[in-house]
Amino acid sequence: MSKIAIMGAMPEEIEPLLAKLENVQECIYAANTYYQGEYKGKEVVVAYSKIGKVFATLTATMLIEKFCCDALLFSGVAGAISDELQIGDLVIADGLCQHDLDITAFGHPYGYVPEGEVCIPTDVNLRNIAKAVAHEKGLKLKEGVIATGDQFVANPERKEWIGQTFKADALEMEGASVAVVCSALNVPFFILRAISDSADMDAGFDFDAFLESSAKISADFILEMVDRIER
Ligand code: ADE
């Protein structure tokens, strides 16, 4: 039977998930807490990684290698790049890139290292499930590139640059790490974010104000998806 990993970066991103799990067992591994439980009879493992690419890489790897999850869904918040995205709106990644990966000195494009790819695609089947949920619930769901980097972006010029360089619609700090791990290990993955800020001068203030509410919007949607994933 399949086991679904649901990952966030911060406690606020997984708390709405934990509130709805049954038969929860906590397990500490590699300096992180993993919550094994059930949602509507399906086996899930939930964890938050802590912020940033390195911690996200560690947690995604553990969810697959130690907890034997065979699909990974990420739920959390993001900064908007696209003007179409307002606070609280949902965005799913069709692909993820690392906006802070730079060996352009050697003639490579931004976000590229040899034997890697600039933009890693997410699982089409999981994206289709998300679209079906959005359709059924009458929710707006934008699909686009999400750019990841070890920076909280609160700067209009940086945001503009990331948007233009990677054709990205939103930015955050973990998604591309999950993408690297899951594509290397051949595990289907999906990245959902609800907008908490617009990566501009007000981003720090907006993030604090909307982290909790946007994280819940994302978590509630993820649970609807879990309900629809075939065992
Ligand atoms: N996650 C949510 N908002 C963000 C921002 N402005 N920069 C990086 N990650 C974010």
Side-chain angles (χ1 to χ4, degrees):
M1 202 214 257
S2 70
K3 209 194 269 186
I4 302 166
I6 316 177
M7 182 177 155
M10 301 174 70
E12 291 84 349
E13 290 172 328
I14 69 159
E15 270 151 19
L17 301 165
L18 296 180
K20 303 236 170 100
L21 292 199
E22 291 181 321
N23 303 325
V24 180
Q25 286 193 329
E26 274 184 49
C27 163
I28 296 177
Y29 195 77
N32 207 4
T33 306
Y34 292 82
Y35 302 87
Q36 297 178 273
E38 283 170 35
Y39 182 72
K40 299 200 177 169
K42 292 207 174 89
E43 246 189 293
V44 298
V45 187
V46 176
Y48 75 90
S49 56
K50 299 184 277 291
I51 294 165
K53 285 160 54 180
V54 176
F55 283 128
T57 303
L58 174 63
T59 301
T61 306
M62 290 304 149
L63 284 164
I64 296 166
E65 293 289 287
K66 169 79 180 164
F67 294 93
C68 303
C69 292
D70 29 40
L72 195 160
L73 314 179
F74 191 103
S75 177
V77 300
I81 299 176
S82 164
D83 291 338
E84 286 172 37
L85 288 169
Q86 312 296 322
I87 287 168
D89 286 354
L90 289 163
V91 56
I92 62 172
D94 53 18
L96 293 116
C97 55
Q98 298 181 60
H99 68 72
D100 58 351
L101 186 55
D102 179 356
I103 55 163
T104 54
F106 299 94
H108 295 297
Y110 285 104
Y112 178 83
V113 290
E115 297 181 58
E117 45 189 331
V118 173
C119 193
I120 301 178
T122 57
D123 184 70
V124 174
N125 184 36
L126 292 171
R127 264 189 266 157
N128 286 338
I129 293 172
K131 287 177 203 167
V133 169
H135 183 73
E136 198 183 301
K137 302 263 162 201
L139 294 169
K140 198 174 102 182
L141 184 68
K142 185 167 175 63
E143 185 176 11
V145 172
I146 295 182
T148 301
D150 280 328
Q151 295 171 342
F152 183 84
V153 178
N155 173 326
E157 286 81 44
R158 178 72 189 163
K159 162 183 158 166
E160 204 56 37
W161 181 85
I162 294 168
Q164 276 176 10
T165 307
F166 298 97
K167 306 272 168 280
D169 292 301
L171 54 85
E172 35 84 311
M173 302 178 70
E174 297 82 21
S177 302
V178 172
V180 167
V181 170
C182 291
S183 73
L185 294 172
N186 267 318
V187 170
F189 73 100
F190 171 83
I191 310 285
L192 173 72
R193 299 277 184 167
I195 298 302
S196 57
D197 60 83
S198 296
D200 55 12
M201 307 291 267
D202 299 326
F205 179 86
D206 287 344
F207 182 88
D208 282 342
F210 297 107
L211 166 63
E212 215 175 297
S213 56
S214 292
K216 181 155 171 33
I217 290 169
S218 176
D220 288 347
F221 191 97
I222 285 281
L223 289 175
E224 292 289 344
M225 286 181 65
V226 171
D227 200 17
R228 278 167 182 77
I229 291 173
E230 305 276 328
R231 283 166 206 267

